[in-house]
Amino acid sequence: MKKLMRILSVILIVGNVFLLDACSFSSQVLTPVAFQPTATSLPFAPTMVPPTPTIVPPSATPTQISINAGTILMIEIFRTLSPQEIVRSLAFTPDGTVLAAAGGNADDFAIHIWDVASGGAIGTLGGHSGIVWGVAFSPDGQLLASASSDGTAKIWDWRNGDLLQTLSFPDQVGSVCFSPDGQTLAVGGLDDLQNLKAAIWTFSTSTWEPLLKIPEYVNITAMTYSPNGRLLIGGGASRNVQVWRTSDGTSIFTLNHAHQALGAAVSPDSSSAATGTCAITLNEQCTEGSVWVWDLSTGKLVNKLAGFPDVVESVVFSTDGSLLIAASRDGMLRVYDTTNYGLAFLADPPGGNGALALSPDGGLLATGGSNGAVHLWKIVYRP
């Protein structure tokens, strides 16, 4: 009976992690750890699957004014898209012409793709049978990767609508990102539900052969590469975010949080990291969200930015590094000037859910909502 109760408790904990609930824990300063994951052959093999219908090509997007500290007060919503389902993840193509949105909660697990210039739907990518927690375009814009609660990551030729590869995992996966050089795909998620083990798996994008399996705990709710490609940051559900060296998979820092971290970003110069988390909980519910800022040369916590009504789910730096943009679950958008981390802009668009993406050229911002709305923002100059 005790063993059965333990298994049920584990399932409840991991279920709460995928629902992105925050829980209380004591905070402590970052501690370096000796963590030596090794490259191992994965206990599963990539499988090929049939293609899906063709997608219409996008149109050219007009040149935008860059979103930075000097222009942020002129930012406005210029278009709202509606996939009619909870939005969990957003991603722009490298040229900013296309936006992908994914999520689902009940039965719509398709990835929706829009033409940014016209706001028209280009098509959908279907094939997942569970919530799609993360999507990412490759640096060359040719591929789109998705991670789902159905235990698979899928790689798409999104222009033709073809499903090129399906990677199968032991359990749910929730994070996915390409390395800056496009040679590696990282996927994070559950590895052993009963023992609260998680992992990040990396694959060669030329062959889809496994490269590394990096162990973590509970689940991977936050993951990103540094722009210089030297670091992989991941974790979050264990209240720790690890900083790994990509050359050999060694963990060089552990970023300790009071509660689980749900989003992570690295500044353009790879000197700082920001993590989205919760500052205060009451009865296991987050009552104040926060962004924590870290020095990646020392691993030290340098700032805590609070004031969000709910847990912060997404963070991103502007392309010039002058701004840190954060979105909380309730939908609040707060933008900070990174010279002193003072509040530079505040908005509360309707919809809730903190999905967030910035186009690689820095001219467009997308925010996603639990009401099925995706807002597109840009700088509008009014002389």
Side-chain angles (χ1 to χ4, degrees):
M1 177 60 72
K2 290 183 178 180
K3 182 177 180 181
L4 177 60
M5 292 300 294
R6 179 178 180 274
I7 293 173
L8 289 174
S9 298
V10 168
I11 292 172
L12 287 172
I13 291 171
V14 176
N16 284 337
V17 166
F18 266 107
L19 289 174
L20 304 181
D21 289 333
C23 49
S24 60
F25 194 71
S26 59
S27 176
Q28 62 185 55
V29 182
L30 176 148
T31 307
V33 295
F35 195 44
Q36 297 281 349
T38 57
T40 58
S41 296
L42 301 183
F44 46 82
T47 56
M48 296 300 294
V49 296
T52 53
T54 301
I55 284 184
V56 178
S59 54
T61 302
T63 301
Q64 308 292 341
I65 301 173
S66 180
I67 299 170
N68 56 46
T71 63
I72 186 60
L73 292 179
M74 295 184 287
I75 196 167
E76 296 180 8
I77 295 173
F78 71 95
R79 180 168 290 125
T80 297
L81 310 170
S82 182
Q84 304 298 322
E85 186 53 275
I86 292 178
V87 178
R88 311 280 184 178
S89 181
L90 295 163
F92 284 99
T93 51
D95 62 6
T97 63
V98 168
L99 177 71
N105 198 51
D107 53 19
D108 180 10
F109 308 124
I111 300 167
H112 298 262
I113 301 180
W114 287 284
D115 176 76
V116 171
S118 67
I122 294 177
T124 58
L125 301 172
H128 282 296
S129 59
I131 292 172
V132 181
W133 294 102
V135 288
F137 284 100
S138 60
D140 64 4
Q142 298 300 310
L143 304 175
L144 175 68
S146 55
S148 172
S149 62
D150 64 12
T152 70
K154 296 182 184 295
I155 296 89
W156 313 80
D157 176 350
W158 63 270
R159 287 186 172 89
N160 296 321
D162 293 339
L163 179 54
L164 303 178
Q165 198 82 21
T166 295
L167 306 173
S168 299
F169 297 88
D171 212 301
Q172 302 188 49
V173 287
S175 302
V176 62
C177 58
F178 287 91
S179 60
D181 62 8
Q183 297 182 14
T184 305
L185 177 72
V187 182
L190 296 176
D191 186 32
D192 183 343
L193 173 64
Q194 181 173 346
N195 294 303
L196 291 181
K197 291 183 179 180
I200 292 175
W201 296 266
T202 64
F203 300 85
S204 165
T205 56
S206 60
T207 64
W208 301 114
E209 291 297 316
L211 299 175
L212 286 174
K213 177 183 176 182
I214 306 174
E216 239 294 296
Y217 298 98
V218 188
N219 197 9
I220 309 297
T221 51
M223 188 174 69
T224 187
Y225 279 96
S226 61
N228 63 16
R230 297 173 185 171
L231 302 174
L232 176 61
I233 297 175
S238 65
R239 306 183 186 96
N240 294 329
V241 174
Q242 301 283 348
V243 180
W244 291 284
R245 199 164 53 212
T246 55
S247 59
D248 58 7
T250 299
S251 178
I252 56 176
F253 296 122
T254 300
L255 313 180
N256 302 118
H257 295 73
H259 311 285
Q260 61 179 298
L262 303 181
V266 179
S267 60
D269 63 1
S270 299
S271 66
S272 303
T275 50
T277 185
C278 183
I280 302 173
T281 62
L282 179 64
N283 298 324
E284 298 188 351
Q285 297 297 317
C286 184
T287 57
E288 184 176 359
S290 182
V291 178
W292 290 14
V293 183
W294 309 82
D295 183 334
L296 285 180
S297 65
T298 64
K300 292 186 180 298
L301 178 64
V302 296
N303 217 323
K304 292 183 179 181
L305 309 172
F308 295 86
D310 207 336
V311 60
V312 176
E313 296 191 328
S314 300
V315 288
V316 65
F317 285 91
S318 62
T319 53
D320 69 348
S322 66
L323 296 175
L324 174 59
I325 306 169
S328 63
R329 179 178 296 168
D330 69 301
M332 177 173 283
L333 187 71
R334 294 173 72 94
V335 183
Y336 301 90
D337 187 324
T338 57
T339 57
N340 57 11
Y341 286 102
L343 185 63
F345 180 79
L346 173 66
D348 192 15
N353 205 56
L356 180 69
L358 184 71
S359 63
D361 66 0
L364 295 170
L365 179 70
T367 57
S370 57
N371 66 349
V374 174
H375 301 300
L376 290 176
W377 307 66
K378 67 179 180 180
I379 301 300
V380 179
Y381 176 64
R382 301 184 187 280

